[in-house]
Amino acid sequence: MSEKKGDKEGCPALELIDFKNALEQFQNLVEKMIIQKTKESSDLYTKDDDERDYGKFYTTTRTLFGSAVKDQDIQAFFRKVMSNLDVRPEWLEIFGCFRRANGGVSSASKESMVLLVSEKQQITHSVVKRKDVIKGIVKVPLLHLTVTASQKGVLTVFRKQMKVLTTINIEDTAWITGCDFLPNLNYVVAVTESTIILWDYKSKESKSDGFVIKPMKNCLLCVCTVTVADNLAKDTILMGDDKGYVYLLTITSDDFIMKQSKAEKEAQFKVLDSESFDIPKRKLHDDWVGKIKYFSDLKRFGSCSTDSTNSFVLDDIKRLEDHLPVKEFSVPKGVNAFTYCGKAKVIVTGGNDRILRLWNPVVNFSPMGKLLGHKHSIVEIVTNEKDQHVISLSCAKVFRVWDIQTLSPLQVFYEDHGTPEEINSFPMVFDNDHGLLLTGSDVIDIYPLANVIQDSKELPQTHEKSLNVLLYNRAFHQILSICTESILKVWDLETGSQIYQIEDAHGLNIEVTCAAIERNGVYLATGACDGSVKIWEFESGQEVKALPLAQHNNDEHRMLKIVYLKADEGQHAVIVLEQRGKIKIIQGDSTQTDLYVTWVLPEIVPFPRRNPVVYLSLKPASLKTQDFFPEIRLLCNTSCMKNDTETFLSSVDIRCFDVLKVEGGRLIATGSANGEINLWDFESASVKCLHKTTEDNQGSGVNAILFLVHRISSSRKRSSLSPTPVRSDASAIAEQKGSSSDQHEKNAESDEINTEIKTEETTSCKDTQNPKMNEQLLKARAGLSPLLASAHESSCIRLWSIQGNLMKELLPFSGRPSGPLTVLCTDIFTKILLTGSKEGYIFRWNMASFLEDSRNKKNEIKEELCWRAHATEVVDLFIEEEKNVVVTASIDSSVRVWHARIGYYFGYFGQARKFELTDTSRLILPSDVNDFSAIIKEESKHTEKKEVLYPLVLDRDKLKSLTGSPSDLEKAGHEEAVHGFKFFRALAPEKLQHLETFEFVSKEAGAVFGLLPIYELEHPIEVSMPNSLQRIKAEKTGHKGREKYPDSIEDLSQDK
């Protein structure tokens, strides 16, 4: 036994020695890395077997420290060492620990502020009388109402944003002691010392404002509603009195009629006799019942008292009738307040002994934990369910916020208004839907949560400058964002924390304009405004290859878009779009240190106006240098066709492009500022110009273009959805199409492309088409044929077939103009289409059924959701199916996260708190957005015009003709029935007189009234003067020296 004990005592010392050795090896590793990097920068380093890159650094660090270090901390530490060799980071940073700068405020101190007292709001208007105090505050979540009751009889109902809906001053000498809301009967219930008041808050001009139940024998001190939704015609309330009794009262709508007493009819409230109600009661405490509540999760009620024996009772409401033993909790000096946290399943009590106790609802003999800190008696406790926080208040006006899980204090603050007498009944309620703490004294104080203020008032900011790029790495579940200041940041999607950043990625003051991530997530390609292209290792942030700059760099070489074609250790290939409209392939292999251009797409194509299709001459021999697209030669002379009236030249102002590689087809689509879409088909060796013939070029510019390929969901389970990156062959390229994240790479990415184009070097398309190949291609393009989606300046989305036919035109439905559409993306199954607009709106479309069979007219594309994500232009967005979120980026410098189905706002990258992507209970919005998301229903978009039926009127001429001759029934004595029959036969729609209109423009009447239509009656009706005015006129005109008739009318009105 002694040896074992000695071994246990020696373990900590051994562990300490092992840690010191590991730390020393780690510091040596860092020193060698810095020396190697220094030699590399001075061209003095030669590669050897002991080369230290990120892979070796990661493996060695993981071996030394094991699971004590996180992957993101290793990445951040490596990036910090490589970016600045002069500054040595402390070894603590490898474990995610950072020292706080002197004089600065750490992020931890900001996060510790749970409630922002500085943002407190006060409601001081008439919720109380003079020298009055609020005795109760109740939240009604389903109706978005707040009810308050003052001691001297002022009941007030607030609607959203705490605006007064209605209020009443109760004419009763007794003081109000508590209030609640009856959800089924829609009444406000309040108790006084001897009565129960039921206020119909919706009654405005009725004879009575509600009912009062009296007399009650004992003094009622508290009341609560039993929230049971099994019966909509009744409500049950619980009450406590000053003798320790708890009452159970059930009220139905019939009681308001059947149990009225014979009291005065002109009273403010109709009186209901308390003797006519069955009110069970039971003595549960030996002192006053301070508070009573009902917990629907537990299906139990709770009541408390300052009695030390029966301090707190928690049991079923049936115990009030059957008198079986109840579950009692004993606390020294009793309990003044209690609450229940549903998430933690904990009851919290507090009283005069200044201790908060946490109880298991089932165990009543011993508390689970205690919270110490209050110096005075605790008078109120509420719960923040979402964050599992308890907020307690003492009679000294001191608020304390506690964490239930860790049993630790989070915040303490002091309230400085109110008298000591008022603080003994300080009501408090927490609004879990909006993250607000409401307290009452002589005013209502509202304290917001710090994270709610950050989300709703502080302007979200991910970068200091506008965003250019937003990408998602599915392999690592990380997000890349790049701003116009060329700061590249990598974020963790689930938590929102930053992993690392790269500044001046392409050099000082060189803007990075586009980027793409290859499908396995290992490499990143970036393009800049000067035409430079760089390849990076995504995980470590190290530069791999670069494209040398051209001699004459200007805006024409500015990179607009980049798509990854292939990425491995031996070869990299990307296809890029420049500002001047040139599309080219840039490659690099293991033998070359730099990237180089291997293929260029023709910039200008002359199209015939009648049939805008041009055939190409392909050179398959060019596939030896790059195995993606063959070199192209147009089968026409562009110089001799410029002046031909039957042709037109394609636009060079290309804004966007997309690449598609599927079995039986290689396509490139480009979109231009004038609305032209050029579709390059390398299987049919042709290029087509797609455009809507009935549309003017103005406002039809193409801002985004995207190939849509529908596949069965079961076949789309890709390895990229797993955390571990796995390489795949060329067959996985088709599966990557439609990915909402890396839409810049899609199906153009490939590790191996072995397809050969079997054409001769100078043979035209007509001579090279194989009938068998054409038959297979037509079959592949039928039914599940790929479609092309284009987003336009005119706010519409157009779907094209790859044959060049316009299949569908969609116009987003929203309450306000959405502006030009700027970006498109889909989910990995190509069932959902997301679009972003220049005004910051996001639209969600369901197109699964349409893509399954686009020829079936019954299969429609349905718009499901619309919300405003930003106040400015949306730069890019993607949808993550596993987390069910949509991430958007805008020129407002923020990257924001939303729920994919309901548009709920989770937060933005760069905020202090972590994301909670599964919690949608709290309704918040960014400070620059005012409208919540709108779920689009079909009936809201297509409203049918209903025919208005005019009311029937009696046609007296018709009735006279019907009653002219008596019928046989009238002769038989059925005069009354026959008269009624003839009366209804004589009813007919009202005959409206046709009014002729003509426009009359009067400059004197102004721009508005001068354009109003004037109606002219065929037979004007003469307006007759009332008899009283005719008499006055006769009297006035009979006396000389009197004023004329109009002044007499004025005198008469003044006399009145």
Side-chain angles (χ1 to χ4, degrees), residues 75 470-481 490-493 499-500 516-524 536-540 718-726 736 739-743 745 878 880 882:
Q75 295 176 22
L470 173 67
L471 295 175
Y472 180 48
N473 191 328
R474 288 187 177 274
F476 299 106
H477 300 287
Q478 295 175 357
I479 290 173
L480 170 72
S481 61
V490 177
W491 311 83
D492 181 71
L493 174 62
I499 298 174
Y500 69 86
I517 300 174
E518 60 95 12
R519 68 179 314 276
N520 292 318
V522 180
Y523 296 101
L524 164 71
W536 310 76
E537 282 188 2
F538 185 87
E539 191 173 11
S540 63
R718 299 168 46 243
S719 60
S720 62
L721 293 178
S722 60
T724 305
V726 180
Q736 175 68 12
S739 171
S740 62
S741 58
D742 301 330
Q743 69 175 27
E745 45 180 313
F878 68 85
E880 213 288 341
E882 187 178 353

Side-chain angles (χ1 to χ4, degrees), residues 200 263 306 480 586 633 750 778 798 815 835 860 945 967 1042:
D200 184 5
T306 54
L480 170 72
I586 300 174
R633 185 172 65 86
S750 170
L778 290 175
R798 291 176 186 153
T835 64
E860 294 289 336
K945 295 183 179 180
S967 62
R1042 300 293 298 273

Side-chain angles (χ1 to χ4, degrees), residues 692 694-695 792 794-800 806-812 845 850 861:
K692 191 175 181 183
T694 60
E695 184 186 39
H792 295 260
S794 57
S795 304
C796 71
I797 303 172
R798 291 176 186 153
L799 300 181
W800 310 81
L806 180 61
M807 311 223 17
K808 205 79 170 177
E809 187 169 9
L810 307 174
L811 189 65
W845 307 78
F850 179 79
I861 298 178

Side-chain angles (χ1 to χ4, degrees), residues 32-101:
K32 291 179 180 179
M33 285 177 52
I34 294 174
I35 294 173
Q36 175 183 319
K37 189 67 176 177
T38 304
K39 290 182 178 181
E40 287 180 358
S41 60
S42 58
D43 297 332
L44 299 177
Y45 177 75
T46 57
K47 293 186 178 181
D48 54 13
D49 295 336
D50 197 25
E51 183 181 2
R52 296 167 185 83
D53 56 3
Y54 176 76
K56 289 186 178 181
F57 176 78
Y58 176 85
T59 304
T60 306
T61 306
R62 182 63 70 188
T63 304
L64 292 174
F65 300 115
S67 59
V69 292
K70 298 180 180 179
D71 291 349
Q72 62 186 36
D73 295 330
I74 299 177
Q75 295 176 22
F77 191 93
F78 181 83
R79 181 60 204 163
K80 191 170 184 178
V81 172
M82 294 295 101
S83 61
N84 193 347
L85 300 177
D86 296 330
V87 179
R88 309 290 176 89
E90 297 188 17
W91 62 268
L92 286 170
E93 296 185 17
I94 197 66
F95 299 97
C97 301
F98 301 88
R99 296 183 184 274
R100 187 178 69 177

Side-chain angles (χ1 to χ4, degrees), residues 127-153:
V127 293
V128 296
K129 296 181 179 179
R130 185 181 179 185
K131 295 184 179 181
D132 198 359
V133 63
I134 296 175
K135 296 293 291 185
I137 302 178
V138 179
K139 290 294 297 184
V140 187
L142 294 178
L143 300 178
H144 304 288
L145 300 178
T146 304
V147 181
T148 63
S150 75
Q151 191 175 55
K152 293 187 178 180

